[in-house]
Amino acid sequence: MSHALETVLYTAETRTTGGRDGRGTSSDGALDVQLGSPGSGKPGTNPEQLFAVGWSACFMGAIQLAGRKLNIKVPEDVAVQASVSLGKTSGGANYALAAKLRVALPGLDDAQKRSLVDEAHQTCPYSRATRGNIDVEIAVA
């Protein structure tokens, strides 16, 4: 199955120096973050936090698209809480990620919530990129 882009809508360009204890910047200057290793107590964000923010924002956009497709009005106070865990696989030889998305869709019935989230999980580029590669749990409230 080919995943080649037919049309490029946007390309993010960043530069990172110093790895997990360095700095990351975007080519347009909108992003300039100090990085710190998780649990190190050093100031700065970490790649797992950045991934969680990116995925939750993208997933929320996918919910909006799903709402239009399924003719379900998405509440204005929709929220997606993402938890991205860094750990080691069995045997401790390799690092891996796991993720949990908690989606709040107040005011909708359970069937509407599930329809929106299922559709969003099929179309969100982050969900598609991680499918089958990391453990993902999605809870709906």
Side-chain angles (χ1 to χ4, degrees):
M1 172 192 287
S2 175
H3 296 288
L5 298 178
E6 186 174 302
T7 304
V8 174
L9 302 174
Y10 174 75
T11 300
E13 294 183 21
T14 64
R15 183 169 192 267
T16 302
T17 57
R20 285 183 171 269
D21 293 314
R23 176 161 234 87
T25 58
S26 62
S27 60
D28 64 2
L31 180 69
D32 185 351
V33 295
Q34 181 177 353
L35 301 171
S37 293
S40 70
K42 295 180 180 178
T45 189
N46 59 64
E48 291 73 26
Q49 290 171 323
L50 294 169
F51 187 74
V53 165
W55 194 351
S56 59
C58 185
F59 200 84
M60 193 174 299
I63 289 172
Q64 297 291 344
L65 289 173
R68 287 192 288 280
K69 178 180 178 182
L70 301 172
N71 201 26
I72 298 172
K73 182 168 176 23
V74 176
E76 287 186 26
D77 52 350
V78 61
V80 178
Q81 178 181 338
S83 302
V84 174
S85 299
L86 171 67
K88 289 194 170 191
T89 58
S90 61
N94 296 307
Y95 289 94
L97 297 175
K100 293 180 183 176
L101 300 179
R102 290 174 189 84
V103 182
L105 290 160
L108 298 180
D109 66 39
D110 289 343
Q112 290 173 314
K113 292 175 184 181
R114 182 49 51 196
S115 294
L116 287 172
V117 168
D118 288 349
E119 179 68 22
H121 192 48
Q122 294 305 309
T123 59
C124 173
Y126 281 74
S127 293
R128 293 173 53 84
T130 58
R131 187 168 292 117
N133 295 309
I134 69 171
D135 287 334
V136 176
E137 176 186 322
I138 300 178
V140 182

